[in-house]
Amino acid sequence: GSRGMPRVSEQDAAEGTMPGKRDLTLLFGVRLLSAMGVTLILPVMPAMARTFGLSIAEAGMVVVCFTLAEATMTPVAGVLSDRFGRMAVLLPALLVFAGGGILCLFAESWRDVLICRVIQGIGAGPLGVLYTILAADMVDEKHLPRIMGRLTAVSSLGTIVYPIIGGLLGEWSWRAPFLVFTLALPTAVLSLTVALKKPQGAMDWRGYWKQTGNILRERRAIGFFILVFLCYCAIYGPINTCFPMMAEAKYHASSSRIGLVFAFVALGSYLAAAGLPHLHAKWSFRALILAAGACYTLPLAFLPVIPGLWLCAVPLFVSGAAQGLSLPIINDNVALLGTSNDRAAILAVSETCVRLSQSVSPLLFSIISMKWLWDGAYASGFVVGMLIVLVAFYLFEPRAVPAQK
């Protein structure tokens, strides 16, 4: 029989499926939460270090514990959501994420803080994979790039606002930013009202892994994963971990000021990502990554010698732009490596590279900065930027001219 169909505007009908308001709210909510875990608390890292009497490397563990826990959950989450349905993974993830944040409010010792961050990371891991998977479920292939672009823009806006919020709340107490993580609770309630993809029946595991394995062995795929790792390394090491600590040590900056200057990283990323479709039409993937490599590298040459905190906004803006130029196009290319059935597994590998990079680089760079101070940390970041340029140069061909038939 004929069901009462919701009215669809002519334009949407012509363009194929676009998700409804609730679906989109959930999608953007999950995306915003997954971007919150680190940037929100960066401005209070120096305050935590003061409170508990920590070295840079020890303070950096508040990021590392979170991202390592994320890294362990990321590869599992995609596969589990294929097998047991999206809801079975999304709802527990949101509750655990909020729970870990709430527990941090009551943590007595540094060890307790780190344990709570591990719990939080276990909840955050699935969120980072699920927003991409949910987008691919809800939107047809034609609209996917548009929605992914909007998701990137929204998360960049989040990362502009988060350090400012974290810094302002941090003036009150280093614990205060952890209150913001309770926003996962209303998102969990919303998820109950949205129809999400149900589990597949029995899975052909051997076929699934074999197909995924074949794709992951391609030269281009390996190139993408190396780039993902290096790009996050260039941000999470010198910028996210060393800069807040340097800002306090060198410029005696308060947490709210650190948060404000930090917002320029995300602002650069937002503007670059917004201009990306326009640039992509003119430039090849390789050219864009080479440009991004230069933008990762240059700021790190200037940061050690800048006399005042506010002037740091310029190099931070440029290194943010590097992120906006590189990460969205790498992600698009990774998503297109597979078919819709194994997309989850491939994105999970890519996300795992992200998490590993986010876990290894703060540790590595905080150890470098303790041994060779800030100059050493920024010089190492400079090297990472050069590696990005080399990988783009040698692993990716210039855009081929189509052969005449």
Side-chain angles (χ1 to χ4, degrees), residues 82-102:
D82 280 351
R83 177 67 186 84
F84 298 106
R86 311 304 189 217
M87 181 59 90
V89 180
L90 179 61
L91 192 60
L94 287 166
L95 296 175
V96 171
F97 182 69
I102 293 165

Side-chain angles (χ1 to χ4, degrees), residues 137-315:
D137 289 346
M138 292 174 179
V139 189
D140 55 18
E141 293 225 340
K142 204 174 103 192
H143 291 97
L144 193 58
R146 202 167 100 201
I147 289 284
M148 290 306 284
R150 283 186 195 172
L151 279 170
T152 306
V154 162
S155 91
S156 309
L157 283 175
T159 41
I160 294 172
V161 178
Y162 293 148
I164 297 175
I165 295 173
L168 288 170
L169 289 171
E171 294 287 320
W172 180 40
S173 153
W174 67 263
R175 295 177 192 268
F178 288 97
L179 276 167
V180 183
F181 294 114
T182 54
L183 289 174
L185 296 174
T187 314
V189 174
L190 175 69
S191 74
L192 295 169
T193 68
V194 173
L196 296 174
K197 194 170 165 187
K198 296 285 182 286
Q200 299 173 4
M203 279 185 70
D204 172 15
W205 287 106
R206 270 178 67 187
Y208 183 80
W209 290 118
K210 193 177 166 196
Q211 197 179 359
T212 309
N214 288 340
I215 293 170
L216 298 182
R217 277 201 292 274
E218 290 174 25
R219 176 177 160 182
R220 280 182 63 229
I222 293 166
F224 291 141
F225 296 139
I226 294 172
L227 280 177
V228 163
F229 187 88
L230 291 173
C231 289
Y232 276 95
C233 193
I235 289 288
Y236 268 70
I239 305 291
N240 283 4
T241 309
C242 298
F243 183 78
M245 301 304 258
M246 182 191 88
E248 202 207 31
K250 191 169 156 182
Y251 310 121
H252 311 295
S254 65
S255 60
S256 57
R257 283 178 152 186
I258 294 172
L260 269 172
V261 173
F262 227 87
F264 278 90
V265 177
L267 188 65
S269 171
Y270 175 71
L271 292 173
L276 194 59
H278 180 67
L279 288 171
H280 205 223
K282 296 182 179 173
W283 292 13
S284 68
F285 175 80
R286 182 178 186 235
L288 281 169
I289 299 295
L290 289 172
C295 291
Y296 277 118
T297 312
L298 286 170
L300 297 173
F302 291 104
L303 270 177
V305 294
I306 286 179
L309 179 70
W310 298 112
L311 286 173
C312 293
V314 179

Side-chain angles (χ1 to χ4, degrees), residues 5-87:
M5 285 296 286
R7 284 220 323 242
V8 178
S9 70
E10 306 272 308
Q11 188 190 4
D12 278 354
E15 289 183 353
T17 57
M18 280 296 276
K21 271 222 172 75
R22 267 187 193 162
D23 300 26
L24 282 174
T25 311
L26 179 67
L27 199 54
F28 287 110
V30 170
R31 181 66 189 108
L32 280 168
L33 289 168
S34 74
M36 187 188 280
V38 175
T39 45
L40 189 66
I41 60 154
L42 288 177
V44 291
M45 261 171 57
M48 289 179 180
R50 261 203 320 279
T51 308
F52 294 104
L54 311 169
S55 68
I56 303 168
E58 287 171 322
M61 289 304 290
V62 78
V63 174
V64 176
C65 285
F66 179 81
T67 47
L68 266 181
E70 264 188 320
T72 52
M73 284 310 293
T74 301
V76 190
V79 179
L80 288 179
S81 81
D82 280 351
R83 177 67 186 84
F84 298 106
R86 311 304 189 217
M87 181 59 90

Side-chain angles (χ1 to χ4, degrees), residues 49 80 85 105 299 325:
L80 288 179
L105 292 171
L325 281 177

